[in-house]
Amino acid sequence: DVPDHTLAGWGFLINRRLKSLICIACQVVVLPSAVPKHISHSHKDARINVKKDVLEAIVIEEELSRSFPQIPSSPQVEYEGLARVWGHHCPECPMMLSRP
């Protein structure tokens, strides 16, 4: 998390090895641009309001990636905060799906 624990309050953490945001509940990488939509779609009952300017400042300060990390298929490595699943990345949007 960041020093003021903003990300934890939103339900996210940073995987510094991947330079990516991780949704704690879903255990998935969420692109910075998709954080507000992810929360409103997947966690609407939480009623969390993400301040986009604060999120952007965190992305810049922490040098987070704005795209999905390139994870090698071999050797297979597990990353803290992520559930291990096989899936597909949509070529037209920032979604990862566990089935085609």
Side-chain angles (χ1 to χ4, degrees):
D1 197 359
V2 292
D4 65 0
H5 305 290
T6 301
L7 292 175
W10 294 341
F12 285 83
L13 59 82
I14 297 173
N15 182 302
R16 297 196 189 288
R17 190 167 170 202
L18 296 174
K19 294 190 172 278
S20 298
L21 290 171
I22 308 294
C23 174
I24 297 168
C26 298
Q27 296 181 311
V28 297
V29 171
V30 179
L31 298 181
S33 62
V35 166
K37 186 174 181 179
H38 176 81
I39 291 173
S40 67
H41 177 72
S42 299
H43 309 290
K44 61 184 169 191
D45 292 339
R47 297 184 181 171
I48 295 170
N49 183 25
V50 174
K51 296 179 181 175
K52 293 180 183 179
D53 59 329
V54 173
L55 175 60
E56 180 62 21
I58 291 169
V59 169
I60 292 168
E61 177 70 26
E62 299 293 333
E63 299 178 355
L64 299 179
S65 177
R66 296 179 189 270
S67 59
F68 284 110
Q70 297 298 313
I71 298 175
S73 58
S74 181
Q76 295 177 4
V77 177
E78 293 190 35
Y79 294 90
E80 186 173 354
L82 294 178
R84 184 174 179 181
V85 296
W86 299 106
H88 304 277
H89 174 251
C90 175
E92 297 181 22
C93 74
M95 294 291 294
M96 290 287 288
L97 305 169
S98 59
R99 50 191 143 187

